[in-house]
Amino acid sequence: MAKLENDTFIRALLRQPTPYTPVWVMRQAGRYLPEYNATRARAGSFLALAKNPDLATEVTLQPLARFPLDAAIIFSDILTIPDAMGLGLYFVEGEGPKFERPLRDEWEIRNLTAPDPTEHLRYVLDAIAHSRRALDNRVPLIGFSGSPYTLACYMVEGGASADFRLIKTMMYSRPELLHHVLDTIADAVTAYLNAQIEAGAQAVMIFDTWGGSLSTRAYREYSLAYMQRIVAGLTRTRDGETVPRIVFTKGGGAWLEEIAAIGADAVGLDWSIDIGNARSRIGDKAALQGNLDPAVLHGSPERICSEAGAVLAAFGSGSGHVFNLGHGISQHTPPEHVGVLVDAVHDLSRAYH
Ligand code: CP3
């Protein structure tokens, strides 16, 4: 295998020295890019785009053609697993993801099985292999999955939820049923991420978007424990290279020490926490990824530079920081502001390395 031309992202995740702080942007291939909207229109829908490996490869590379990002992330969605489990994923414009057959009855839950990724999620694995070829070792490719708890939220609620009433009702009335759901999803995620690594993903990230809605005790039992199990089951090296793992719980600032202890290489941070505080709490247990407020990208170029500089200064000197937003980029972001951010991170961070 040829070596990566730019391995700063992998090195930072492994807390090895880099000449500058690498940067990528959550949802970097998305609706703020006119070329993304054009490809999506050609595909017909978001799901048709995600399920077409050639078009998914095209959009995976779009942000890299514009900005000198230090990593690519495969264009897909966390809800591919529940879709492969037969729940029937669809999107309603303006309302987000929905399932035709949410998990409500005990018999449906008892019948749930982990899909074979090489069969039911082949399109993702093909998109990864195609994207690796198209990237030609310029930068690494990130694979990803949702966390078991976050996927269970969508599967039980049937879509987005403001209060998570249905899944929390299950949690506090039939905990063994919810554990069965999470157990099955954890097996599915482990197999899926390992298949992504096999197909060419050079780092993997687990998105725990809704773990932050839980109490501390419930977070440990229903979210963190399952992510720990997944991390322990992941392929560690591929083609002689370490495959770093990133775990991101949105709203998880109160639990950073515990998150850093599950064996992942890096902890993702949302924008609510000071990254210097996070670093002092985690120490050398893990690298950090984050954590600019995505809303900063609506501000002026000068302000984007100063806010990015403040995040870099808060992290301080040394390796172990991958710059990112604290959550996905807004579709209303002017694309040129992403260019301002990436250049600012590259320029301003050299002083810290
Ligand atoms: O980061 C990347 O560029 C990779 C692609 C990616 C997408 N979704 C593409 C996408 C990733 C990593 C995700 C993860 C994802 N999907 C999460 C976890 C991260 C987070 O945001 O907390 C969640 C919760 C989802 C579920 C989901 N999929 C939502 C809430 C939406 C938005 C629905 C809407 O209408 O706003 C999606 C759709 C989606 N996934 C889009 C993209 C670019 C927009 C779809 C479109 O083109 O209409």
Side-chain angles (χ1 to χ4, degrees):
M1 274 310 254
K3 276 249 171 277
L4 275 167
E5 281 167 37
N6 173 354
D7 65 352
T8 54
F9 168 73
I10 301 288
R11 294 181 63 83
L13 291 174
L14 299 174
R15 290 177 297 109
Q16 297 166 355
T18 56
Y20 59 84
T21 303
V23 53
W24 69 282
V25 172
M26 286 193 264
R27 298 255 183 115
Q28 62 191 22
R31 285 172 291 189
Y32 73 105
L33 289 177
E35 59 270 35
Y36 168 83
N37 293 318
T39 310
R40 181 180 183 271
R42 262 202 287 147
S45 69
F46 166 72
L47 268 186
L49 173 56
K51 290 185 177 183
N52 179 321
D54 290 322
L55 296 181
T57 298
E58 186 178 308
V59 294
T60 296
L61 271 79
Q62 282 172 348
L64 289 115
R66 274 194 188 240
F67 317 116
L69 294 154
D70 297 291
I73 180 162
I74 189 64
F75 182 80
S76 187
D77 199 80
I78 63 166
L79 301 177
T80 52
I81 285 188
D83 189 49
M85 286 172 153
L87 275 69
L89 174 64
Y90 66 104
F91 284 84
V92 182
E93 203 63 51
E95 285 179 49
K98 298 222 183 283
F99 287 108
E100 283 162 28
R101 293 172 290 281
L103 283 185
R104 296 284 160 76
D105 295 330
E106 181 158 357
W107 67 266
E108 289 169 323
I109 291 171
R110 297 283 173 211
N111 281 339
L112 199 67
T113 54
D116 176 353
T118 62
E119 192 181 330
H120 301 283
L121 293 157
R122 185 84 250 164
Y123 63 94
V124 180
L125 308 179
D126 289 344
I128 289 173
H130 290 205
S131 295
R132 275 296 301 276
R133 251 175 275 135
L135 283 166
D136 195 23
N137 287 311
R138 277 175 286 158
V139 294
L141 179 66
I142 306 166
F144 69 90
S145 169
S147 74
Y149 185 70
T150 293
L151 294 179
C153 283
Y154 285 101
M155 291 165 72
V156 172
E157 300 289 338
S161 170
D163 58 4
F164 302 103
R165 183 174 55 86
L166 297 174
I167 191 164
K168 289 195 177 187
T169 300
M170 192 186 292
M171 181 178 293
Y172 293 114
S173 59
R174 298 293 307 277
E176 80 291 356
L177 268 191
L178 182 56
H179 275 301
H180 178 71
V181 171
L182 294 167
D183 192 64
T184 310
I185 301 173
D187 286 346
V189 169
T190 307
Y192 182 46
L193 288 177
N194 280 335
Q196 291 189 33
I197 293 167
E198 180 67 28
Q202 290 151 295
V204 291
M205 174 156 167
I206 301 174
F207 286 88
D208 185 28
T209 307
W210 299 124
S213 67
L214 293 170
S215 72
T216 295
R217 275 193 301 134
Y219 175 71
R220 285 181 192 134
E221 179 176 346
Y222 296 96
S223 184
L224 193 62
Y226 289 95
M227 294 198 288
Q228 177 160 22
R229 205 175 95 189
I230 291 164
V231 169
L234 292 179
T235 306
R236 188 53 171 155
T237 54
R238 170 92 170 104
D239 291 330
E241 304 289 342
T242 303
V243 182
R245 313 80 181 256
I246 309 163
V247 171
F248 171 54
T249 293
K250 184 165 174 274
W255 311 311
L256 293 180
E257 294 86 346
E258 291 174 63
I259 299 170
I262 69 167
D265 299 281
V267 177
L269 304 175
D270 69 29
W271 66 89
S272 64
I273 185 158
D274 178 84
I275 194 170
N277 172 270
R279 189 182 190 187
S280 63
R281 285 164 56 194
I282 287 182
D284 59 7
K285 296 271 189 321
L288 296 174
Q289 177 175 277
N291 73 336
L292 189 74
D293 183 348
V296 167
L297 292 177
H298 298 309
S300 66
E302 296 71 34
R303 195 61 196 265
I304 293 167
C305 293
S306 64
E307 293 287 333
V311 171
L312 291 167
F315 182 85
S317 291
S319 194
H321 181 202
V322 171
F323 200 101
N324 205 318
L325 304 180
H327 198 213
I329 188 169
S330 151
Q331 66 180 109
H332 305 293
T333 306
E336 52 295 354
H337 285 186
V338 176
V340 170
L341 174 69
V342 172
D343 289 344
V345 171
H346 285 163
D347 294 345
L348 298 173
S349 66
R350 288 190 180 266
Y352 299 101
H353 293 274

